[in-house]
Amino acid sequence: MESGYATTPFGGRPMTLGMISSQVTARAVPKDATVHKWHVFQDIKDARIALGATDRALAILDALLSFHPDTALYGDSELVVWPSNEQLIRRANGMPPTTLRRHLAVLVECGLIIRRDSPNGKRFARKGQAGEIEQAYGFDISPIVARAEEFKDLADAVRSEKKAFRLVKERLTICRRDIVKMIDTGIEEGVPANWGRVQQAYQAIVGQIPRTAPRQTLEAIAEELEGLWAEVREALESFVKTQKVDANESQNGRHIQNSKPDSKFESESGLGNKDEAGGNVADTDNVRSLPKRELPLGIVLDACPNMLWLVKGGGGIRNWREFLAAAEVARPSMGVSPSAWEEARTAMGEQQAAITIAAIYQRQDQINSAGGYLRSLTDRAKVGKFSVWPMVMALLRAKLDASKTTGTGAEAAAVDLEAAGKVVRTESRLEISDALRRSLGKPARGS
């Protein structure tokens, strides 16, 4: 046997209320109580954090329990084990003596064991003539029996919390996956809704998810995300229903009306103000009256200065190649699907489609569904009823009007508009209609 470090029944160490409570609990153990020591040990492991025990402390407790010969522990039996430090170190996978002593103190503080030290500080058992143990000095494991129900309740609570945490994580994962798929479907299928704002709302919610968070925080985020899920789902289902009722209307860009006033994304009731943003291009003759040459890049940038925001590093756009690259950045930010973009490039040509994207981007605050608007203009371009000229001229006219109101930049805006007008006058000798004149922002003859 090895000598211990205590010279009193309490080990010669400072007493705490936790130790006294353990002593009281151990004395109150029912005499007829019976527990399976390894089942209780599993409960203690599951409730380790709630109990304040460490992994190393539980490794020592595992070793201590192994020194008791019986698997079943009884309330009326002797529950003291007296292994030496060397024996404990071997069964606890060889931890250093200082570490052993420190984590033994943790077990005592947590109320999992009680020190029963002899007067001379040694751990041993005194036996009677018949070989029975009369008195043992060492570590009392009776709290394992006395607190078995408490450990089980704590472990059940911990397991329930872990399950609830796992379920809310699954809810978040499934909801995020479904929303992303539904947004992609809405964009790809041309469902007229403000998908750019839907994506922003989704990113705002997802951005709240911390790396580590309590279950209650994740529950709140999951509820918010499920609300967005329901809104997107409702929008898609409503669009499918409208298609079944009138396929022609849905192709012309009829927009979904959302019944919820506080929707995460705007309800769509139209493609925006076409007379302002795109010009009234219903008359084929008007389009034919426009010049055939391409718009100068400088005029396009004057009409659509917001495109410069999309250039990395804040540089300018020096050629059409850089302008096309900026259009590729603007397209997804407005929620325009790849299929709608490809269809527009095929119908209009790559450069004209990019100018159309730039004009829509310049006035996106006035256009509910950029993707639906682009598809509508693409349909017009397919039958020769669309040109980018009225869109650009309307933007220049709006810029001039705004400059006159503020009193700044009016002269420059007038020069831009006059330059564009010269191209129209020199390259198109045909008489243009009153409708086209109105789209260019000029008064009709005789007005």
Side-chain angles (χ1 to χ4, degrees):
M1 301 295 174
E2 67 150 25
S3 62
Y5 298 90
T7 58
T8 73
F10 300 111
R13 297 170 179 81
M15 291 299 298
T16 66
L17 291 177
M19 294 179 186
I20 296 174
S21 176
S22 300
Q23 298 271 348
V24 173
T25 302
R27 285 197 297 268
V29 59
K31 298 302 181 181
D32 58 346
T34 304
V35 300
H36 191 298
K37 67 180 181 182
W38 299 122
H39 291 174
V40 179
F41 180 69
Q42 183 60 52
D43 290 337
I44 292 172
K45 287 202 317 185
D46 291 341
R48 174 181 62 83
I49 296 177
L51 291 170
T54 62
D55 291 334
R56 290 289 187 90
L58 292 186
I60 296 170
L61 180 60
D62 186 7
L64 287 172
L65 291 176
S66 70
F67 283 104
H68 194 282
D70 299 325
T71 299
L73 303 181
Y74 303 95
D76 60 351
S77 62
E78 182 63 47
L79 296 176
V80 177
V81 293
W82 53 92
S84 65
N85 279 1
E86 287 76 9
Q87 290 172 318
L88 274 176
I89 287 172
R90 283 198 297 270
R91 293 201 186 183
N93 300 320
M95 68 177 60
T98 54
T99 303
L100 175 69
R101 290 193 292 271
R102 185 169 65 252
H103 290 288
L104 278 170
V106 171
L107 290 176
V108 173
E109 184 66 30
C110 293
L112 297 174
I113 62 172
I114 301 171
R115 290 183 182 274
R116 302 290 189 194
D117 289 337
S118 66
N120 63 3
K122 296 182 178 180
R123 298 176 201 153
F124 63 91
R126 182 180 292 114
K127 297 181 180 181
Q129 292 182 352
E132 75 281 4
I133 297 176
E134 293 181 345
Q135 182 66 50
Y137 298 98
F139 300 105
D140 187 348
I141 59 174
S142 59
I144 301 297
V145 180
R147 302 178 63 189
E149 287 299 321
E150 177 191 347
F151 296 147
K152 186 178 187 304
D153 291 342
L154 282 174
D156 287 343
V158 170
R159 293 177 193 126
S160 296
E161 181 63 23
K162 285 184 177 180
K163 181 179 180 181
F165 188 84
R166 185 177 67 254
L167 290 176
V168 72
K169 292 283 285 185
E170 290 176 357
R171 281 172 58 197
L172 283 172
T173 300
I174 294 172
C175 200
R176 291 176 65 176
R177 180 190 64 198
D178 288 353
I179 290 176
V180 170
K181 287 184 177 180
M182 287 192 293
I183 291 175
D184 289 344
T185 299
I187 294 175
E188 290 292 336
E189 297 296 330
V191 177
N194 197 327
W195 295 113
R197 295 194 180 183
V198 177
Q199 289 175 321
Q200 290 176 0
Y202 169 74
Q203 292 297 337
I205 297 173
V206 172
Q208 300 175 32
I209 304 176
R211 180 168 296 180
T212 57
R215 175 182 56 83
Q216 292 78 6
T217 300
L218 297 182
E219 288 278 3
I221 296 174
E223 289 180 5
E224 192 174 355
L225 204 57
E226 285 169 349
L228 179 62
W229 179 94
E231 299 239 5
V232 178
R233 183 77 178 184
E234 181 182 350
L236 295 180
E237 290 178 351
S238 298
F239 180 71
V240 171
K241 291 176 182 177
T242 58
Q243 280 191 318
K244 291 180 180 179
V245 174
D246 191 344
N248 291 330
E249 268 194 356
S250 67
Q251 290 175 358
N252 289 332
R254 183 175 64 181
H255 287 231
I256 301 169
Q257 297 294 332
N258 195 318
S259 61
K260 297 185 179 181
D262 58 345
S263 170
K264 296 288 191 307
F265 55 97
E266 292 183 353
S267 301
E268 310 295 342
S269 58
L271 293 176
N273 191 334
K274 295 180 185 178
D275 288 337
E276 289 187 11
N280 189 337
V281 292
D283 297 329
T284 306
D285 290 341
N286 292 345
V287 176
R288 290 175 180 172
S289 299
L290 292 170
K292 303 303 180 183
R293 65 171 283 189
E294 295 179 350
L295 271 164
L297 177 60
I299 291 178
V300 174
L301 291 176
D302 287 338
C304 309
N306 290 356
M307 291 294 285
L308 297 174
W309 300 348
L310 305 174
V311 179
K312 291 182 178 180
I317 296 178
R318 295 163 294 185
N319 50 53
W320 283 110
R321 179 177 57 80
E322 293 179 351
F323 183 82
L324 294 174
E328 290 284 358
V329 176
R331 174 194 64 77
S333 70
M334 296 187 295
V336 176
S337 68
S339 61
W341 172 234
E342 183 60 33
E343 188 177 354
R345 290 197 299 179
T346 301
M348 305 176 188
E350 189 171 45
Q351 187 169 306
Q352 303 299 308
I355 295 173
T356 303
I357 285 289
I360 295 174
Y361 186 74
Q362 185 68 28
R363 302 295 292 274
Q364 62 177 323
D365 58 331
Q366 301 177 22
I367 299 173
N368 289 330
S369 173
Y373 191 12
L374 181 62
R375 286 186 183 275
S376 178
L377 298 180
T378 299
D379 290 341
R380 294 175 182 274
K382 289 178 181 178
V383 293
K385 294 183 179 181
F386 172 72
S387 169
V388 295
W389 277 89
M391 300 183 75
V392 174
M393 296 294 282
L395 288 170
L396 289 173
R397 172 60 63 180
K399 181 179 179 182
L400 176 59
D401 293 342
S403 300
K404 289 179 179 178
T405 301
T406 59
T408 58
E411 183 177 351
V415 171
D416 294 337
L417 188 61
E418 179 60 26
K422 285 180 180 180
V423 177
V424 175
R425 290 194 296 272
T426 58
E427 300 216 7
S428 177
R429 304 299 181 184
L430 298 177
E431 186 67 23
I432 63 176
S433 68
D434 291 348
L436 182 56
R437 287 182 181 279
R438 286 193 297 272
S439 73
L440 298 178
K442 297 180 180 179
R445 288 183 180 178
S447 60

